[in-house]
């Protein structure tokens, strides 16, 4: 199993202390967390894309380029690239450039994206979002694979023998499809034989398990080899401590502050006690043994081989955050790496294998 630390670069007051970092300090914190993830042996670091309050992740290519310059091994993920809002030609240019600068360490997770404000900012009609996402991905995919592209597009000017530069480093880049609530993203992933990444954050396991089941059905419908399926899954929170009592005590102020914020904001409350949250959500809160057991239980339903956890402290102190990530990597990850297989592809640059070109190779596992 592979492990990815992900941030959406949320910028709001600390849920426990109420203090809010200046914007520049928040960006510096993201960079520090990326360096920590590489130091501790995480396999990937992801940055989201949102174009609305309270997020600072409107330009993931810039943030990931900076991280690429500071790191050497860890793979760089988008989480997610909102192709329904973007021109696929411009998105290709940005990500192909980032892929060269990182020497092929880029993986994309794409998705329609959530949030009314960002959709309105880009003047995208809600009824067009899924069609725009599919069209943008098809054009993006074509550009990455072909030197000249012709495409009769609806949502941007058509392309006729268009050349887009730079030409890619990875041939092609690996694209995962983010899945939260809709079968459209699942079907698009299955159609092209691409890996799926389940959000797996807001609700109990059932709706996510149903979408993954549908993905497997559509994968076989499109004629792909079931052995090539790769699925990732998110988590709703992380707090690992030597005992369950210590983990619950450390996370309780975070949960109660987030619960109060949700109620004040009129957001739906799915789990109204910490104990219920720790038991029925995807949050990994408890001793190493409890966390390992929960991941196994989810794996039985999902069959996932990649897992993302929160890169941010999210209300824990910096010391608590570092200690729990260290404990996760020392006591949880080694067991899960042994028990659960990796995705069915090399965890490294996707390069063509031929006598005259570089062969596909990946960094050694930390």
């Amino acid at each position: 199993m592979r492990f990815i630390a992900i941030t959406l670069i949320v910028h709001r007051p600390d849920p426990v202390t109420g203090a809010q970092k200046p914007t520049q300090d928040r960006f510096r914190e993201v960079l520090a967390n990326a360096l920590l993830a590489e130091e501790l042996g995480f396999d990937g670091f992801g940055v989201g894309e949102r174009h609305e309050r309270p997020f600072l992740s409107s330009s993931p290519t810039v943030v990931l380029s900076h991280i690429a310059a500071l790191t050497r091994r860890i793979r760089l993920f988008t989480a997610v690239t909102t192709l329904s809002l973007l021109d696929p030609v411009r998105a290709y240019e940005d990500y192909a450039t980032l892929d060269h600068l990182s020497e092929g360490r880029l993986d994309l997770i794409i998705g329609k994206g959530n949030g009314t404000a960002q959709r309105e900012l880009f003047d995208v009609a809600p009824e067009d979002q899924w069609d725009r996402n599919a069209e943008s991905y098809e054009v993006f995919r074509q550009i990455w694979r072909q030197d000249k592209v012709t495409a009769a597009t609806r949502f941007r000017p058509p392309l006729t023998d268009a050349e887009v530069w730079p030409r890619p480093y990875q041939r092609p880049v690996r694209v995962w499809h983010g899945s939260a609530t809709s079968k459209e993203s699942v079907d698009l992933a299955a159609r092209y034989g691409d890996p799926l990444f389940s959000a797996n954050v807001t609700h109990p396991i059932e709706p996510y398990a149903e979408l993954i089941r549908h993905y497997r059905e559509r994968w076989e419908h499109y004629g792909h080899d079931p052995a090539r399926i790769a699925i990732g899954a998110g988590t709703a929170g992380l707090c690992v401590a030597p005992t369950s009592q210590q983990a619950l005590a450390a996370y309780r102020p975070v949960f109660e502050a987030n619960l109060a914020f949700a109620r004040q904001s009129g957001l739906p409350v799915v789990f109204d006690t910490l104990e219920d949250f720790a038991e029925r959500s995807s949050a990994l809160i408890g001793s190493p043994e409890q966390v390992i057991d929960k991941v196994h239980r989810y794996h039985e339903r999902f069959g996932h081989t990649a897992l993302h956890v929160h890169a941010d402290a999210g209300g824990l102190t910096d010391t608590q955050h570092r200690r729990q990530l260290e404990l996760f990597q020392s006591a949880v990850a080694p067991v899960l790496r042994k028990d659960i297989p990796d995705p069915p592809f090399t965890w490294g640059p996707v390069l063509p294998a031929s006598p005259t070109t570089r062969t596909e190779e990946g960094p050694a596992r930390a």
Side-chain angles (χ1 to χ4, degrees):
M1 175 169 262
R2 297 287 181 160
F3 301 98
I4 306 161
I6 283 181
T7 178
L8 300 182
I9 320 185
V10 176
H11 190 228
R12 65 180 180 89
D14 183 286
V16 177
T17 68
Q20 181 164 337
K21 290 182 171 68
T23 297
Q24 188 178 48
D25 290 353
R26 183 68 181 95
F27 279 123
R28 290 183 182 278
E29 184 177 51
V30 171
L31 300 179
N33 285 336
L35 289 169
L36 177 62
E38 177 161 90
E39 174 192 338
L40 295 181
F42 279 88
D43 301 293
F45 188 87
V47 174
E49 180 183 337
R50 297 294 290 267
H51 300 270
E52 60 186 332
R53 185 185 299 176
F55 303 96
L56 300 177
S57 50
S58 59
S59 189
T61 49
V62 176
V63 178
L64 288 170
S65 291
H66 197 124
I67 292 171
L70 297 174
T71 58
R72 292 293 176 266
R73 177 195 60 82
I74 200 165
R75 289 196 68 76
L76 308 173
F77 281 74
T78 65
V80 299
T81 296
T82 53
L83 279 182
S84 69
L85 307 178
L86 305 177
D87 182 316
V89 175
R90 190 71 183 99
Y92 167 83
E93 292 173 333
D94 285 344
Y95 283 110
T97 300
L98 167 57
D99 199 37
H100 276 279
L101 294 174
S102 67
E103 298 184 336
R105 286 190 282 143
L106 176 65
D107 271 48
L108 288 172
I109 306 176
I110 68 162
K112 173 182 69 68
N114 296 315
T116 300
Q118 63 178 5
R119 175 178 53 75
E120 292 176 345
L121 182 66
F122 286 88
D123 193 27
V124 173
E127 61 271 18
D128 290 337
Q129 276 196 280
W130 283 115
D131 289 341
R132 288 177 65 100
N133 184 65
E135 177 183 287
S136 291
Y137 177 55
E138 288 160 3
V139 173
F140 184 94
R141 178 185 175 89
Q142 192 176 351
I143 295 171
W144 209 284
R145 287 165 170 78
Q146 300 176 14
D147 291 339
K148 292 186 178 182
V149 174
T150 297
T153 50
R154 288 177 54 203
F155 300 107
R156 59 146 288 125
L159 299 169
T160 303
D161 287 335
E163 295 182 341
V164 188
W165 299 90
R167 298 313 301 146
Y169 183 92
Q170 293 189 90
R171 296 178 180 270
V173 69
R174 182 173 298 112
V175 177
W176 305 65
H177 294 247
S179 166
T181 60
S182 176
K183 290 183 177 180
E184 281 88 345
S185 57
V186 166
D187 189 82
L188 187 65
R191 186 188 320 164
Y192 285 105
D194 293 331
L196 186 75
F197 220 109
S198 174
N200 190 40
V201 168
T202 307
H203 301 286
I205 194 171
E206 285 76 16
Y208 304 112
E210 172 60 25
L211 283 172
I212 290 172
R213 183 194 62 77
H214 183 69
Y215 169 66
R216 292 181 181 277
E217 290 178 354
R218 299 305 291 170
W219 180 279
E220 295 196 34
H221 168 81
Y222 288 115
H224 303 301
D225 181 359
R228 301 301 299 169
I229 283 179
I231 296 168
T235 55
L238 178 69
C239 189
V240 190
T243 68
S244 60
Q245 293 82 2
Q246 289 173 304
L248 289 169
Y251 202 79
R252 191 173 300 279
V254 177
F255 175 83
E256 292 179 349
N258 287 333
L259 179 63
F261 176 82
R263 286 174 170 160
Q264 291 166 6
S265 304
L267 299 174
V269 174
V270 179
F271 308 100
D272 58 6
T273 69
L274 173 59
E275 287 70 21
D276 188 37
F277 181 67
E279 175 61 29
R280 293 196 305 120
S281 82
S282 61
L284 303 177
I285 301 171
S287 67
E289 293 77 13
Q290 289 173 311
V291 169
I292 291 167
D293 179 66
K294 176 174 270 193
V295 174
H296 273 292
R297 283 190 280 122
Y298 271 76
H299 178 71
E300 289 173 3
R301 299 288 299 276
F302 291 173
H304 60 308
T305 52
L307 181 76
H308 89 53
V309 300
H310 292 196
D312 300 313
L316 298 175
T317 68
D318 290 342
T319 299
Q320 287 174 320
H321 181 52
R322 182 181 181 102
R323 284 178 178 170
Q324 63 136 3
L325 290 180
E326 289 174 339
L327 186 57
F328 180 89
Q329 282 293 354
S330 64
V332 175
V335 176
L336 295 175
R337 289 189 194 278
K338 179 181 177 182
D339 293 348
I340 298 175
D342 283 348
F345 43 71
T346 298
W347 196 264
V350 182
L351 302 173
S354 74
T356 58
T357 62
R358 296 160 295 186
T359 57
E360 178 175 293
E361 59 183 1
R365 174 183 287 175

